[in-house]
Amino acid sequence: MSRNRTRSALPRLLALTATAAATAAILVPAPAMAAGNGASEGTSQSPFVQAFEPTLVARATLSADHLEPGPASGALASPANGRTGPWAGQVIPGFSAAIDNGDGTFWAQPDNGFGTKSNSADFLLRNYLVRPAWQTADGGDGSIVVERFISYNDRNDVLDFPVANEGTPDRLLTGADFDIESVVRAKDGTFWVGEEFGPFLLHFDAEGTLLEKPFSLTGAKSPQNPYLQAGETPRVRASRGFEALAASVDGRYLYPVIEGSYADDADLRRREIHEFDTRRGEYTGRTWSYQADQEANVIGDAFTVRNDVLLLIERDDFEGAQSVTKRVYEVDLRRADAQGYLEKTLVLDALRIANPDGIGAGDGYGTGAVFSLPVQSFETVLQLKDGNLLIGNDNNFPGNDARIPGTPDDTEFAVVDLDKVKIEPSDVTLVGHRGASGHRPEHTLASYETAIVQCADYIEPDVVSTKDGVLVARHENEISGTTDVSARAEFAPRKATKVIDGVSVTGWFAEDFTLAELRTLRAKERLPITRPSNTAFDGLYQVPTLDEVIDLARHSVSCDGRQVGVYPETKHPTYFDSIGLSLEEPLVAALQANGVDRADAPVIVQSFEVGNLRELDSLTDVTLAQLVSSSGRPYDFTAAGDPRTYADLVTPAGLAQIATYAEGVGLEKSVMIPRTPAGTLGAPRPVIADAHAAGLTVHGWTFRLENQFLPVEFRSSSDPNAPGDLAGELQVFVDAGMDGVFSDHPDVAVTIDTVTAEG
């Protein structure tokens, strides 16, 4: 079924960029697998969904090579991208924070310069008054004009430790003195600045003169803190201080945020928000805990939108195509979940912004019909008076080159309108198979995020257990094909031969590693010959836990405005039971911890075995799906001496049995439509209609783009790894009544016409 909208929306833009010839309607998510998972009592029965669609409406840039008056800077900066210091003036290495003046100008503050105390003594700490000449749908040159600046200084000798410009009249502060990262303006026009070396809160007058001694956070010093005593252990990690700072609406309270986890925190995903009383000049002692999507993510900026409600940037340290997390979440300081973490709601995924007017087109990666801000240091967000969001970057000059490899990134401001559209979702469910595994190494958060950007409504983690009972996402428990474990000398003794589901397998196994050990490994592409472009991402990403995958899904929004679902598969449950690492109980516990253990949650649990699905049916109310292969039988049948095969499961009687414990079936393609001896698609079998008659939904697997996986009539050439006509193959299955599709390439699957699908 095609979507009805008031305007051209993001899913169609994605489809057009992925498949130039696509003119069909959009294949989009259904909210749940089975008809029994419909709207709860009292909810709207309208077929339409009202959804926010972030849309780029304005953009302006400042050249990375722009210099402002002042002494030479960057003598000790690390050369990169063809730029070597010193530069004949003051570099502007992006903006880490901004203030809207309401008159078309902004105060925009860079950080400490070149990244460390040791290389930034010639970088003057400033706050620049800038005026963007916005590029919009109506034109505009898209430049940022620097009108003037204030220089932060200690001319009143407030500081009790030496600074780089000690002994000079103005005592201009430099990046060797402080690492300034965030700023808010008080009602009296003074500036409060969040800093990382302390971490400190700094109070400057309207012209940049330090008014008071730095305000320290008791019990939380960084390695660069000038007051750190010999032998004292710093609790704040290096460069993980007050990257973010917001103020209460009345200006009395400040909310500085620790950018990363404390060094002594058992939960490496925890980020702490503090409260500072500007009237009393002290911390109140109130704190809040925020949980990042993954351990390495940091908090880039904060902004107050109303009393107790903040916007927070959460980002990773990747850039360009490697990016995973560049997001803006909203939190309410009055609302925490059962674990004590602030509940967070996605406001903007900066990797998925509609750009129907082509603003910034041709400026490099992420400037097409779907705009993104894929920079490493996404560090500026504020809400403008009209409700739009301004986002921007610190470009870490000259090191970042997210847009054009080899060319330093410009400083960018982008204005995003959170436009609302009306959508009629399709009845066909799109599942990102192991994420978007045709584009990123499978079962990584990068693969899952790419699938979400490409309009998948569910992401699929295969689930195995670590030695210490933590569920992680891997295609198999043997991990040498998907991680770099075989190249890690320290783990060479772990190589083993085991019998898994009756098959002898040699390699390294997840159940022989603790989670901490597994975290030291990095993912790699499983099919490097078939998907050589994916190998560019080898060695970047950790193995995610199931909790992290669920967390990403429940904090994400699909292209049609609904919460993204998670579709976990239990791998080898009989085997894991045999070694005392049952998968079912920790799986249900993870669903409960994330608040998605309920019948109407966008969760579908699948398995090739039957017994564990029956067990799960007694443990959880989420949707269950029986996986069916074109050959063989469930391994728990083999272990129990049950002679039934998968073929028996898809008879009318077998499907009726499945319907007693599951709501759907996941069928291998050839179970639905077999191939002829010539390799073409044959006539559809009655299994789809039989499943529907039993009350079961049918999802098909696995639909891949490369010729080797396609029927002969949809291959483009004899090259097995060349892309073929995946859309054409999918159309046949959708026309045959298939309700959902597992695909490695959601960007292609999303273009399928579902009008003729069986209803």
Side-chain angles (χ1 to χ4, degrees), residues 39 42 73 120 140 150 346 363-364 402 423 433 479 496 651 674 704 706 708:
S73 60
S120 299
I150 60 173
L346 182 66
D363 280 0
I423 308 164
H433 183 242
I479 59 175
T651 63
R704 297 180 166 109
E706 295 87 2
Q708 62 182 289

Side-chain angles (χ1 to χ4, degrees), residues 63-94:
S63 170
D65 295 311
H66 179 88
L67 295 175
E68 279 294 303
S73 60
L76 299 179
S78 299
N81 294 315
R83 303 326 193 251
T84 301
W87 295 280
Q90 287 291 299
V91 169
I92 296 183

Side-chain angles (χ1 to χ4, degrees), residues 329-374:
Y329 287 113
E330 181 181 282
V331 298
D332 188 328
L333 300 181
R334 298 163 297 186
R335 296 179 58 195
D337 63 20
Q339 297 174 297
Y341 293 105
L342 291 172
E343 295 182 358
K344 63 184 188 182
T345 302
L346 182 66
V347 174
L348 173 68
D349 185 339
L351 299 180
R352 193 180 78 186
I353 302 170
N355 187 17
D357 299 312
I359 296 170
D363 280 0
Y365 181 86
T367 59
V370 178
F371 182 86
S372 68
L373 190 67

Side-chain angles (χ1 to χ4, degrees), residues 121-356:
D122 60 3
F123 182 83
L124 299 178
L125 303 184
R126 292 173 171 178
N127 201 347
Y128 289 94
L129 185 68
V130 303
R131 184 182 298 274
W134 299 109
Q135 179 191 1
T136 69
D138 298 323
D141 70 4
S143 64
I144 295 177
V145 176
V146 179
E147 296 192 345
R148 68 181 181 91
F149 59 83
I150 60 173
S151 290
Y152 292 129
N153 66 85
D154 183 35
R155 61 171 53 100
N156 293 337
D157 288 307
V158 169
L159 297 173
D160 57 4
F161 56 83
V163 297
N165 286 319
E166 190 78 22
T168 64
D170 288 332
R171 291 170 57 85
L172 296 179
L173 298 173
T174 74
D177 307 317
F178 295 109
D179 185 2
I180 58 174
E181 295 286 358
S182 47
V183 63
V184 299
R185 183 171 50 198
K187 300 292 185 181
D188 61 4
T190 61
F191 294 102
W192 285 93
V193 171
E195 190 273 345
E196 291 205 307
F197 288 161
F200 298 126
L201 289 176
L202 306 175
H203 193 195
F204 296 97
D205 71 15
E207 295 304 317
T209 298
L210 191 63
L211 295 173
E212 305 171 78
K213 289 184 178 180
F215 292 94
S216 298
L217 179 60
T218 301
K221 295 177 183 177
S222 87
Q224 294 82 22
N225 189 301
Y227 303 117
L228 190 70
Q229 301 297 308
E232 184 178 2
T233 301
R235 188 170 182 233
V236 176
R237 301 176 191 273
S239 192
R240 290 294 182 258
F242 294 149
E243 183 77 42
L245 176 68
S248 60
V249 173
D250 64 7
R252 175 172 179 176
Y253 296 103
L254 301 178
Y255 302 104
V257 187
I258 298 294
E259 181 180 8
S261 65
Y262 288 120
D264 59 355
D265 199 329
D267 183 358
L268 299 182
R269 294 169 62 192
R270 188 196 314 274
R271 310 291 178 260
E272 195 167 70
I273 302 172
H274 293 264
E275 184 178 67
F276 180 86
D277 188 336
T278 61
R279 292 183 190 172
R280 301 176 63 179
E282 61 185 25
Y283 287 91
T284 67
R286 296 181 71 195
T287 62
W288 296 266
S289 292
Y290 171 97
Q291 189 174 51
D293 291 343
Q294 55 181 324
E295 293 174 0
N297 286 0
V298 297
I299 304 303
D301 198 12
F303 184 83
T304 302
V305 291
R306 56 188 182 275
N307 283 330
D308 297 309
V309 178
L310 309 180
L311 299 179
L312 296 176
I313 289 177
E314 183 179 334
R315 66 167 180 84
D316 57 23
D317 264 333
F318 296 117
E319 63 176 350
Q322 299 175 357
S323 297
V324 179
T325 307
K326 311 293 179 186
R327 294 185 165 204
V328 178
Y329 287 113
E330 181 181 282
V331 298
D332 188 328
L333 300 181
R334 298 163 297 186
R335 296 179 58 195
D337 63 20
Q339 297 174 297
Y341 293 105
L342 291 172
E343 295 182 358
K344 63 184 188 182
T345 302
L346 182 66
V347 174
L348 173 68
D349 185 339
L351 299 180
R352 193 180 78 186
I353 302 170
N355 187 17

